[in-house]
Every structure is written in structure tokens, then in C-alpha cells.
Short mmCIF file of all heavy atoms in Angstrom, two decimals:
data_model
loop_
_atom_site.label_atom_id
_atom_site.label_comp_id
_atom_site.label_asym_id
_atom_site.label_seq_id
_atom_site.Cartn_x
_atom_site.Cartn_y
_atom_site.Cartn_z
N MET A 284 118.72 100.64 120.54
CA MET A 284 118.61 100.13 119.25
C MET A 284 117.26 100.56 118.62
O MET A 284 116.21 100.51 119.25
CB MET A 284 118.71 98.48 119.33
CG MET A 284 119.20 98.03 117.90
SD MET A 284 119.17 96.09 117.98
CE MET A 284 120.84 95.89 118.42
N ALA A 285 117.24 100.96 117.37
CA ALA A 285 116.07 101.47 116.72
C ALA A 285 115.15 100.27 116.37
O ALA A 285 115.53 99.21 116.14
CB ALA A 285 116.44 102.07 115.45
N LYS A 286 113.83 100.56 116.26
CA LYS A 286 112.82 99.68 115.82
C LYS A 286 112.33 100.04 114.53
O LYS A 286 112.33 101.23 114.16
CB LYS A 286 111.73 99.59 116.87
CG LYS A 286 111.93 98.90 118.09
CD LYS A 286 110.83 98.64 118.88
CE LYS A 286 111.12 97.70 120.02
NZ LYS A 286 109.89 97.33 120.86
N VAL A 287 111.97 99.07 113.75
CA VAL A 287 111.41 99.25 112.38
C VAL A 287 110.12 98.53 112.24
O VAL A 287 109.86 97.51 112.83
CB VAL A 287 112.46 98.84 111.25
CG1 VAL A 287 113.56 99.71 111.28
CG2 VAL A 287 112.74 97.42 111.40
N ILE A 288 109.30 99.03 111.28
CA ILE A 288 108.12 98.24 110.77
C ILE A 288 108.48 97.38 109.66
O ILE A 288 108.90 97.90 108.59
CB ILE A 288 106.89 99.26 110.57
CG1 ILE A 288 106.61 99.98 111.84
CG2 ILE A 288 105.71 98.40 110.01
CD1 ILE A 288 105.56 101.06 111.67
N THR A 289 108.25 96.08 109.70
CA THR A 289 108.42 95.22 108.57
C THR A 289 107.12 94.69 108.23
O THR A 289 106.03 94.84 109.02
CB THR A 289 109.37 94.07 109.01
OG1 THR A 289 108.74 93.28 109.99
CG2 THR A 289 110.77 94.42 109.37
N ASN A 290 107.02 94.13 107.03
CA ASN A 290 105.74 93.53 106.57
C ASN A 290 105.90 92.32 105.68
O ASN A 290 106.97 92.02 105.27
CB ASN A 290 104.95 94.69 105.84
CG ASN A 290 105.59 95.07 104.40
OD1 ASN A 290 105.58 94.28 103.47
ND2 ASN A 290 106.25 96.23 104.30
N GLN A 291 104.77 91.62 105.48
CA GLN A 291 104.77 90.33 104.81
C GLN A 291 103.90 90.68 103.47
O GLN A 291 103.38 89.56 102.91
CB GLN A 291 104.09 89.37 105.63
CG GLN A 291 104.93 88.99 106.85
CD GLN A 291 106.27 88.36 106.57
OE1 GLN A 291 106.41 87.58 105.69
NE2 GLN A 291 107.27 89.00 107.25
N ILE A 292 103.78 91.77 102.98
CA ILE A 292 102.82 92.17 101.86
C ILE A 292 103.23 91.26 100.60
O ILE A 292 102.43 90.74 100.06
CB ILE A 292 102.73 93.67 101.69
CG1 ILE A 292 102.08 94.28 102.76
CG2 ILE A 292 101.93 93.84 100.35
CD1 ILE A 292 102.20 95.83 102.68
N ARG A 293 104.43 91.32 100.33
CA ARG A 293 104.98 90.68 99.12
C ARG A 293 104.62 89.13 99.07
O ARG A 293 104.06 88.60 98.19
CB ARG A 293 106.44 90.86 98.93
CG ARG A 293 106.93 90.31 97.46
CD ARG A 293 108.28 90.88 97.27
NE ARG A 293 108.67 90.67 95.80
CZ ARG A 293 109.40 89.55 95.40
NH1 ARG A 293 109.75 88.57 96.23
NH2 ARG A 293 109.53 89.45 94.13
N ARG A 294 104.86 88.47 100.24
CA ARG A 294 104.63 87.13 100.38
C ARG A 294 103.08 86.80 100.35
O ARG A 294 102.56 85.91 99.71
CB ARG A 294 105.10 86.50 101.71
CG ARG A 294 104.83 85.06 101.99
CD ARG A 294 105.24 84.61 103.35
NE ARG A 294 104.75 85.31 104.41
CZ ARG A 294 103.55 85.09 104.97
NH1 ARG A 294 102.69 84.18 104.46
NH2 ARG A 294 103.05 85.85 105.96
N LEU A 295 102.33 87.77 101.05
CA LEU A 295 100.85 87.55 101.03
C LEU A 295 100.32 87.74 99.63
O LEU A 295 99.36 87.05 99.19
CB LEU A 295 100.15 88.57 102.05
CG LEU A 295 100.48 88.16 103.51
CD1 LEU A 295 100.19 89.37 104.40
CD2 LEU A 295 99.70 86.94 103.94
N ARG A 296 100.85 88.77 98.88
CA ARG A 296 100.34 88.92 97.49
C ARG A 296 100.55 87.73 96.75
O ARG A 296 99.70 87.21 95.99
CB ARG A 296 100.97 90.12 96.84
CG ARG A 296 100.48 91.50 97.28
CD ARG A 296 101.03 92.56 96.34
NE ARG A 296 102.43 92.67 96.17
CZ ARG A 296 103.12 92.29 95.04
NH1 ARG A 296 102.40 91.70 94.15
NH2 ARG A 296 104.44 92.42 94.97
N PHE A 297 101.71 87.02 96.88
CA PHE A 297 102.07 85.78 96.13
C PHE A 297 101.11 84.74 96.47
O PHE A 297 100.59 84.08 95.61
CB PHE A 297 103.46 85.40 96.40
CG PHE A 297 103.98 84.32 95.56
CD1 PHE A 297 104.32 84.43 94.28
CD2 PHE A 297 104.09 83.00 96.24
CE1 PHE A 297 104.68 83.19 93.47
CE2 PHE A 297 104.37 81.91 95.43
CZ PHE A 297 104.80 82.03 94.20
N GLU A 298 100.92 84.62 97.70
CA GLU A 298 99.98 83.56 98.15
C GLU A 298 98.51 83.80 98.01
O GLU A 298 97.67 82.86 97.99
CB GLU A 298 100.09 83.35 99.73
CG GLU A 298 101.45 82.74 100.21
CD GLU A 298 101.60 82.77 101.75
OE1 GLU A 298 100.80 83.30 102.44
OE2 GLU A 298 102.72 82.35 102.18
N HIS A 299 98.22 84.99 97.52
CA HIS A 299 96.88 85.39 97.22
C HIS A 299 96.65 85.52 95.72
O HIS A 299 96.42 86.51 95.09
CB HIS A 299 96.53 86.80 97.79
CG HIS A 299 95.09 87.02 98.08
ND1 HIS A 299 94.45 86.49 99.16
CD2 HIS A 299 94.18 87.78 97.49
CE1 HIS A 299 93.08 86.89 99.10
NE2 HIS A 299 93.05 87.74 98.17
N ASN A 300 96.97 84.34 95.00
CA ASN A 300 96.81 84.24 93.67
C ASN A 300 97.68 85.15 92.89
O ASN A 300 97.39 85.72 91.79
CB ASN A 300 95.34 84.39 93.13
CG ASN A 300 94.48 83.33 93.70
OD1 ASN A 300 94.85 82.16 93.63
ND2 ASN A 300 93.32 83.68 94.05
N GLU A 301 98.99 85.47 93.36
CA GLU A 301 99.94 86.32 92.85
C GLU A 301 99.36 87.66 92.56
O GLU A 301 99.56 88.15 91.38
CB GLU A 301 100.51 85.69 91.62
CG GLU A 301 101.33 84.49 92.04
CD GLU A 301 102.11 83.81 90.91
OE1 GLU A 301 102.44 84.45 89.90
OE2 GLU A 301 102.53 82.60 90.98
N MET A 302 98.60 88.27 93.47
CA MET A 302 97.95 89.55 93.36
C MET A 302 98.98 90.64 92.92
O MET A 302 100.14 90.55 93.37
CB MET A 302 97.35 89.93 94.67
CG MET A 302 96.71 91.40 94.66
SD MET A 302 96.07 91.85 96.31
CE MET A 302 94.50 91.13 96.19
N THR A 303 98.60 91.40 92.05
CA THR A 303 99.57 92.50 91.58
C THR A 303 99.57 93.67 92.65
O THR A 303 98.66 93.74 93.40
CB THR A 303 99.24 93.12 90.13
OG1 THR A 303 97.92 93.72 90.33
CG2 THR A 303 99.25 92.05 89.14
N GLN A 304 100.67 94.42 92.58
CA GLN A 304 100.67 95.67 93.48
C GLN A 304 99.48 96.68 93.11
O GLN A 304 98.89 97.22 93.92
CB GLN A 304 102.02 96.35 93.30
CG GLN A 304 103.12 95.63 94.04
CD GLN A 304 104.50 96.15 93.60
OE1 GLN A 304 104.66 96.87 92.40
NE2 GLN A 304 105.41 96.03 94.46
N GLN A 305 99.18 96.57 91.73
CA GLN A 305 98.02 97.47 91.25
C GLN A 305 96.72 96.98 91.87
O GLN A 305 95.90 97.69 92.30
CB GLN A 305 97.93 97.64 89.81
CG GLN A 305 96.98 98.63 89.20
CD GLN A 305 97.30 99.92 89.71
OE1 GLN A 305 98.32 100.60 89.43
NE2 GLN A 305 96.39 100.58 90.36
N ALA A 306 96.56 95.72 91.86
CA ALA A 306 95.19 95.17 92.38
C ALA A 306 95.08 95.50 93.86
O ALA A 306 94.04 95.83 94.26
CB ALA A 306 95.29 93.65 92.11
N LEU A 307 96.17 95.40 94.66
CA LEU A 307 96.14 95.64 96.00
C LEU A 307 95.94 97.14 96.20
O LEU A 307 94.98 97.61 97.03
CB LEU A 307 97.53 95.35 96.71
CG LEU A 307 97.44 95.56 98.17
CD1 LEU A 307 96.37 95.00 99.00
CD2 LEU A 307 98.92 95.21 98.79
N ALA A 308 96.52 97.98 95.43
CA ALA A 308 96.40 99.33 95.52
C ALA A 308 94.84 99.82 95.27
O ALA A 308 94.29 100.59 95.94
CB ALA A 308 97.29 100.09 94.52
N ASP A 309 94.31 99.15 94.19
CA ASP A 309 92.87 99.37 93.88
C ASP A 309 92.03 98.92 95.07
O ASP A 309 91.03 99.69 95.26
CB ASP A 309 92.45 98.72 92.62
CG ASP A 309 93.13 99.28 91.33
OD1 ASP A 309 93.77 100.45 91.43
OD2 ASP A 309 93.16 98.57 90.36
N ALA A 310 92.34 97.90 95.60
CA ALA A 310 91.44 97.28 96.72
C ALA A 310 91.45 98.15 97.98
O ALA A 310 90.54 98.17 98.70
CB ALA A 310 91.88 95.84 97.13
N ILE A 311 92.55 98.89 98.16
CA ILE A 311 92.70 99.70 99.42
C ILE A 311 92.52 101.19 99.15
O ILE A 311 92.83 101.95 100.01
CB ILE A 311 93.99 99.34 100.24
CG1 ILE A 311 95.17 99.59 99.40
CG2 ILE A 311 93.77 97.91 100.68
CD1 ILE A 311 96.49 99.48 100.21
N ASN A 312 92.40 101.57 97.88
CA ASN A 312 92.26 102.93 97.42
C ASN A 312 93.50 103.85 97.64
O ASN A 312 93.40 105.08 98.18
CB ASN A 312 91.03 103.58 98.21
CG ASN A 312 89.73 103.67 97.35
OD1 ASN A 312 89.92 103.59 96.16
ND2 ASN A 312 88.75 104.01 97.97
N VAL A 313 94.58 103.26 97.23
CA VAL A 313 95.92 104.16 97.12
C VAL A 313 96.45 103.86 95.86
O VAL A 313 96.04 103.08 95.13
CB VAL A 313 96.85 103.70 98.34
CG1 VAL A 313 96.26 103.94 99.61
CG2 VAL A 313 97.37 102.33 98.22
N SER A 314 97.61 104.52 95.65
CA SER A 314 98.31 104.37 94.32
C SER A 314 99.25 103.16 94.41
O SER A 314 99.63 102.77 95.40
CB SER A 314 99.16 105.66 94.06
OG SER A 314 100.34 105.82 94.93
N ARG A 315 99.55 102.73 93.23
CA ARG A 315 100.57 101.47 93.15
C ARG A 315 101.85 102.01 93.89
O ARG A 315 102.59 101.15 94.51
CB ARG A 315 100.72 101.06 91.78
CG ARG A 315 101.56 99.79 91.64
CD ARG A 315 101.87 99.39 90.23
NE ARG A 315 102.82 100.38 89.65
CZ ARG A 315 104.15 100.26 89.81
NH1 ARG A 315 104.63 99.36 90.64
NH2 ARG A 315 104.95 101.23 89.17
N GLN A 316 102.30 103.18 93.65
CA GLN A 316 103.46 103.69 94.09
C GLN A 316 103.55 103.69 95.78
O GLN A 316 104.54 103.41 96.31
CB GLN A 316 103.84 105.16 93.69
CG GLN A 316 104.21 105.23 92.19
CD GLN A 316 103.00 105.07 91.25
OE1 GLN A 316 101.80 105.16 91.68
NE2 GLN A 316 103.20 105.14 89.99
N THR A 317 102.36 103.86 96.43
CA THR A 317 102.18 103.91 97.69
C THR A 317 102.40 102.38 98.22
O THR A 317 103.18 102.14 99.21
CB THR A 317 100.81 104.37 98.24
OG1 THR A 317 100.73 105.77 97.92
CG2 THR A 317 100.62 104.19 99.62
N VAL A 318 101.79 101.40 97.53
CA VAL A 318 101.92 100.00 97.84
C VAL A 318 103.44 99.61 97.70
O VAL A 318 104.06 98.89 98.58
CB VAL A 318 101.11 99.07 96.94
CG1 VAL A 318 101.47 97.63 97.03
CG2 VAL A 318 99.55 99.27 97.30
N VAL A 319 104.14 100.02 96.64
CA VAL A 319 105.48 99.78 96.44
C VAL A 319 106.40 100.23 97.68
O VAL A 319 107.15 99.57 98.18
CB VAL A 319 106.06 100.32 95.19
CG1 VAL A 319 107.57 100.29 95.07
CG2 VAL A 319 105.38 99.67 93.86
N ALA A 320 106.01 101.53 98.00
CA ALA A 320 106.91 102.15 99.13
C ALA A 320 106.61 101.35 100.45
O ALA A 320 107.52 101.04 101.25
CB ALA A 320 106.59 103.54 99.27
N ILE A 321 105.39 101.01 100.70
CA ILE A 321 105.02 100.23 101.90
C ILE A 321 105.71 98.88 102.02
O ILE A 321 106.35 98.46 102.93
CB ILE A 321 103.54 100.18 102.17
CG1 ILE A 321 102.85 101.45 102.43
CG2 ILE A 321 103.12 99.18 103.26
CD1 ILE A 321 101.27 101.48 102.33
N GLU A 322 105.55 98.23 100.79
CA GLU A 322 106.16 96.83 100.63
C GLU A 322 107.56 96.87 100.87
O GLU A 322 108.18 95.96 101.51
CB GLU A 322 105.73 96.38 99.31
CG GLU A 322 105.87 94.93 99.10
CD GLU A 322 105.42 94.38 97.81
OE1 GLU A 322 104.08 94.35 97.69
OE2 GLU A 322 106.17 93.93 96.98
N LYS A 323 108.26 97.87 100.34
CA LYS A 323 109.70 97.97 100.52
C LYS A 323 110.21 98.53 101.81
O LYS A 323 111.42 98.63 102.03
CB LYS A 323 110.29 98.83 99.32
CG LYS A 323 110.25 98.15 98.03
CD LYS A 323 110.90 99.04 96.88
CE LYS A 323 110.89 98.31 95.64
NZ LYS A 323 111.67 99.21 94.56
N GLY A 324 109.33 98.80 102.67
CA GLY A 324 109.65 99.46 104.00
C GLY A 324 110.10 100.79 103.95
O GLY A 324 110.71 101.29 104.96
N LYS A 325 109.89 101.53 102.82
CA LYS A 325 110.22 102.95 102.75
C LYS A 325 109.30 103.83 103.27
O LYS A 325 109.59 105.12 103.47
CB LYS A 325 110.54 103.21 101.23
CG LYS A 325 111.70 102.31 100.71
CD LYS A 325 112.38 103.01 99.50
CE LYS A 325 113.48 102.14 98.97
NZ LYS A 325 114.67 101.91 99.80
N TYR A 326 108.02 103.45 103.55
CA TYR A 326 106.98 104.23 104.06
C TYR A 326 106.10 103.40 104.86
O TYR A 326 105.77 102.27 104.66
CB TYR A 326 106.20 104.71 102.81
CG TYR A 326 104.85 105.54 103.10
CD1 TYR A 326 104.93 106.79 103.53
CD2 TYR A 326 103.61 104.76 103.00
CE1 TYR A 326 103.72 107.40 103.88
CE2 TYR A 326 102.49 105.51 103.28
CZ TYR A 326 102.40 106.77 103.63
OH TYR A 326 101.35 107.48 104.00
N SER A 327 105.71 103.99 106.08
CA SER A 327 104.78 103.38 107.08
C SER A 327 103.40 103.82 106.73
O SER A 327 103.16 105.01 106.67
CB SER A 327 105.21 103.71 108.53
OG SER A 327 106.47 103.10 108.75
N PRO A 328 102.57 102.79 106.58
CA PRO A 328 101.15 103.23 106.15
C PRO A 328 100.33 103.79 107.41
O PRO A 328 100.80 103.56 108.58
CB PRO A 328 100.43 101.94 105.81
CG PRO A 328 101.15 100.92 106.65
CD PRO A 328 102.62 101.31 106.63
N SER A 329 99.34 104.52 107.12
CA SER A 329 98.48 104.94 108.22
C SER A 329 97.84 103.75 108.88
O SER A 329 97.80 102.54 108.34
CB SER A 329 97.42 105.84 107.77
OG SER A 329 96.52 105.28 106.84
N LEU A 330 97.30 103.91 110.12
CA LEU A 330 96.59 102.80 110.64
C LEU A 330 95.47 102.28 109.74
O LEU A 330 95.22 101.04 109.62
CB LEU A 330 95.99 103.16 112.05
CG LEU A 330 96.92 102.97 113.11
CD1 LEU A 330 96.35 103.60 114.45
CD2 LEU A 330 97.24 101.55 113.36
N GLU A 331 94.76 103.24 109.18
CA GLU A 331 93.59 102.91 108.35
C GLU A 331 94.07 102.00 107.10
O GLU A 331 93.42 101.06 106.81
CB GLU A 331 92.90 104.04 107.72
CG GLU A 331 91.64 103.80 107.00
CD GLU A 331 90.97 105.02 106.49
OE1 GLU A 331 91.36 106.08 106.67
OE2 GLU A 331 89.85 104.84 105.75
N VAL A 332 95.24 102.42 106.50
CA VAL A 332 95.60 101.67 105.33
C VAL A 332 96.07 100.32 105.78
O VAL A 332 95.97 99.42 105.09
CB VAL A 332 96.72 102.55 104.57
CG1 VAL A 332 97.49 101.64 103.52
CG2 VAL A 332 95.99 103.69 103.87
N ALA A 333 96.74 100.30 106.90
CA ALA A 333 97.30 99.02 107.48
C ALA A 333 96.25 97.99 107.67
O ALA A 333 96.28 96.89 107.31
CB ALA A 333 98.13 99.24 108.69
N PHE A 334 95.16 98.44 108.29
CA PHE A 334 93.92 97.62 108.53
C PHE A 334 93.27 97.10 107.22
O PHE A 334 92.90 96.01 107.12
CB PHE A 334 93.01 98.26 109.50
CG PHE A 334 93.30 98.07 110.84
CD1 PHE A 334 93.82 99.16 111.58
CD2 PHE A 334 93.12 96.83 111.49
CE1 PHE A 334 94.17 99.07 112.92
CE2 PHE A 334 93.42 96.80 112.95
CZ PHE A 334 93.93 97.92 113.63
N LYS A 335 93.30 98.03 106.21
CA LYS A 335 92.69 97.73 104.95
C LYS A 335 93.53 96.57 104.25
O LYS A 335 92.91 95.64 103.73
CB LYS A 335 92.58 99.01 104.00
CG LYS A 335 91.50 99.95 104.33
CD LYS A 335 91.43 101.04 103.44
CE LYS A 335 90.36 102.08 103.59
NZ LYS A 335 90.34 103.22 102.78
N ILE A 336 94.80 96.69 104.40
CA ILE A 336 95.67 95.72 103.78
C ILE A 336 95.46 94.31 104.40
O ILE A 336 95.26 93.33 103.75
CB ILE A 336 97.10 96.16 103.83
CG1 ILE A 336 97.33 97.31 102.95
CG2 ILE A 336 98.14 94.92 103.46
CD1 ILE A 336 98.87 98.04 103.17
N ALA A 337 95.47 94.33 105.86
CA ALA A 337 95.15 93.17 106.51
C ALA A 337 93.77 92.49 106.16
O ALA A 337 93.64 91.34 105.91
CB ALA A 337 95.23 93.44 108.02
N ASP A 338 92.73 93.41 105.93
CA ASP A 338 91.42 92.97 105.54
C ASP A 338 91.48 92.16 104.19
O ASP A 338 90.78 91.20 103.93
CB ASP A 338 90.37 94.04 105.57
CG ASP A 338 89.93 94.39 106.89
OD1 ASP A 338 90.20 93.66 107.87
OD2 ASP A 338 89.23 95.54 107.07
N VAL A 339 92.23 92.83 103.21
CA VAL A 339 92.26 92.24 101.90
C VAL A 339 92.73 90.79 101.99
O VAL A 339 92.29 89.94 101.22
CB VAL A 339 93.20 93.06 100.97
CG1 VAL A 339 93.61 92.32 99.75
CG2 VAL A 339 92.60 94.47 100.61
N PHE A 340 93.72 90.56 102.83
CA PHE A 340 94.34 89.17 102.98
C PHE A 340 93.66 88.27 104.02
O PHE A 340 94.05 87.18 104.32
CB PHE A 340 95.81 89.31 103.24
CG PHE A 340 96.58 90.01 102.07
CD1 PHE A 340 97.26 91.09 102.24
CD2 PHE A 340 96.57 89.43 100.81
CE1 PHE A 340 97.82 91.79 101.23
CE2 PHE A 340 97.29 90.01 99.82
CZ PHE A 340 97.88 91.23 100.00
N SER A 341 92.55 88.94 104.67
CA SER A 341 91.86 88.23 105.70
C SER A 341 92.82 87.68 106.90
O SER A 341 92.73 86.64 107.29
CB SER A 341 91.05 87.04 105.21
OG SER A 341 90.19 87.44 104.37
N LYS A 342 93.71 88.58 107.25
CA LYS A 342 94.71 88.27 108.28
C LYS A 342 94.67 89.36 109.28
O LYS A 342 94.31 90.53 109.10
CB LYS A 342 96.12 88.38 107.72
CG LYS A 342 96.49 87.44 106.55
CD LYS A 342 96.56 86.11 107.16
CE LYS A 342 97.12 84.99 106.04
NZ LYS A 342 97.10 83.83 106.48
N PRO A 343 95.08 88.95 110.60
CA PRO A 343 95.21 90.01 111.67
C PRO A 343 96.23 90.87 111.31
O PRO A 343 97.20 90.49 110.67
CB PRO A 343 95.53 89.15 112.92
CG PRO A 343 95.28 87.72 112.57
CD PRO A 343 95.20 87.60 111.03
N ILE A 344 96.20 92.05 111.72
CA ILE A 344 97.33 93.18 111.31
C ILE A 344 98.70 92.64 111.85
O ILE A 344 99.62 92.92 111.09
CB ILE A 344 96.82 94.52 111.90
CG1 ILE A 344 97.72 95.62 111.11
CG2 ILE A 344 97.01 94.59 113.36
CD1 ILE A 344 97.04 97.02 111.27
N GLY A 345 98.78 91.91 112.96
CA GLY A 345 100.03 91.48 113.40
C GLY A 345 100.64 90.41 112.49
O GLY A 345 101.82 90.13 112.65
N GLU A 346 99.81 89.79 111.66
CA GLU A 346 100.51 88.84 110.74
C GLU A 346 100.92 89.59 109.46
O GLU A 346 101.61 88.90 108.49
CB GLU A 346 99.39 87.75 110.32
CG GLU A 346 99.29 86.78 111.45
CD GLU A 346 98.47 85.58 111.16
OE1 GLU A 346 98.28 85.21 109.92
OE2 GLU A 346 97.81 85.05 111.94
N VAL A 347 100.55 90.81 109.24
CA VAL A 347 100.95 91.57 108.06
C VAL A 347 102.00 92.47 108.34
O VAL A 347 103.08 92.47 107.58
CB VAL A 347 99.82 92.49 107.37
CG1 VAL A 347 100.22 93.13 106.12
CG2 VAL A 347 98.60 91.38 107.18
N PHE A 348 101.96 93.10 109.61
CA PHE A 348 103.08 94.12 109.91
C PHE A 348 103.66 93.69 111.38
O PHE A 348 102.94 93.25 112.13
CB PHE A 348 102.49 95.48 110.06
CG PHE A 348 101.95 96.10 108.86
CD1 PHE A 348 100.64 95.96 108.46
CD2 PHE A 348 102.71 96.71 108.01
CE1 PHE A 348 100.14 96.49 107.28
CE2 PHE A 348 102.31 97.17 106.74
CZ PHE A 348 101.02 97.12 106.43
N GLU A 349 104.93 93.99 111.56
CA GLU A 349 105.59 93.75 112.69
C GLU A 349 106.45 94.95 113.08
O GLU A 349 107.19 95.49 112.19
CB GLU A 349 106.43 92.40 112.60
CG GLU A 349 106.95 91.96 113.93
CD GLU A 349 107.68 90.66 113.79
OE1 GLU A 349 107.90 90.12 112.57
OE2 GLU A 349 108.26 90.07 114.76
N TYR A 350 106.48 95.19 114.30
CA TYR A 350 107.25 96.35 114.94
C TYR A 350 108.44 95.64 115.72
O TYR A 350 108.20 95.08 116.79
CB TYR A 350 106.45 97.22 115.70
CG TYR A 350 107.16 98.53 116.20
CD1 TYR A 350 107.74 99.41 115.32
CD2 TYR A 350 107.15 98.83 117.49
CE1 TYR A 350 108.34 100.58 115.74
CE2 TYR A 350 107.84 100.03 117.99
CZ TYR A 350 108.38 100.84 117.15
OH TYR A 350 108.96 101.99 117.52
N LYS A 351 109.66 95.71 115.16
CA LYS A 351 110.80 94.86 115.82
C LYS A 351 112.09 95.64 115.68
O LYS A 351 112.16 96.59 114.96
CB LYS A 351 110.87 93.52 115.16
CG LYS A 351 111.28 93.51 113.69
CD LYS A 351 111.29 92.15 113.16
CE LYS A 351 111.85 92.07 111.83
NZ LYS A 351 112.06 90.82 111.21
N GLN A 352 113.05 95.12 116.47
CA GLN A 352 114.39 95.68 116.40
C GLN A 352 114.92 95.60 115.05
O GLN A 352 114.88 94.55 114.45
CB GLN A 352 115.35 94.86 117.54
CG GLN A 352 114.85 94.97 118.96
CD GLN A 352 114.98 96.39 119.53
OE1 GLN A 352 115.78 97.09 118.99
NE2 GLN A 352 114.28 96.63 120.54
N ALA A 353 115.72 96.56 114.63
CA ALA A 353 116.46 96.66 113.31
C ALA A 353 117.62 95.77 113.36
O ALA A 353 118.23 95.52 114.40
CB ALA A 353 116.70 98.18 113.06
#
């Protein structure tokens, strides 16, 4: 069975004063389109970007991203 990377970015943005995708993109130095693709699970971020996202929300990376069975 295949494994996929899932994420909690949308929920975390909402819990973080309803942060916009653009605000997150600016905070981690990527385009809004990149944030959209990561959030929708269409693109897996580099380790550096994943850690930056976790830092923005002050969460361990394992609370933002999960590698699990599809």
C-alpha cells in the first residue's frame, strides 16, 4: 500500500488568526501557489520549507506533516 504525506496547514492557518495563504508564503519565502499546492497535497515541500512552516506555527514538524498509509 502506498504512503502519502498529509498536512494540517489549512487548520493551522485558521487557528493562527485565519492567516492567509499569501501571509504564510511571505513568511516562508515561497509563492502563494506553492503554499496552495502543499496544502492540497499536490506537492511535497523540501525539508527546509517544511521546517519553516512548522516554525511559523511554533509546532513540531510531526504536528504539521504526517507520512501515512493512503
Side-chain angles (χ1 to χ4, degrees):
M284 202 183 269
K286 287 193 169 187
V287 295
I288 295 175
T289 60
N290 69 73
Q291 299 297 315
I292 297 171
R293 188 166 192 264
R294 179 183 59 79
L295 290 166
R296 284 193 307 102
F297 182 80
E298 292 173 356
H299 204 77
N300 297 318
E301 298 185 22
M302 175 187 274
T303 64
Q304 290 171 331
Q305 186 62 60
L307 178 57
D309 292 345
I311 62 172
N312 259 349
V313 299
S314 69
R315 187 185 70 80
Q316 290 81 4
T317 298
V318 170
V319 169
I321 294 169
E322 196 172 290
K323 289 183 176 181
K325 301 207 182 287
Y326 173 75
S327 295
S329 67
L330 274 173
E331 181 180 7
V332 169
F334 276 106
K335 286 180 178 181
I336 292 169
D338 282 349
V339 166
F340 297 117
S341 301
K342 298 283 186 190
I344 198 164
E346 287 185 26
V347 180
F348 297 94
E349 187 176 6
Y350 187 53
K351 64 181 186 178
Q352 295 292 339

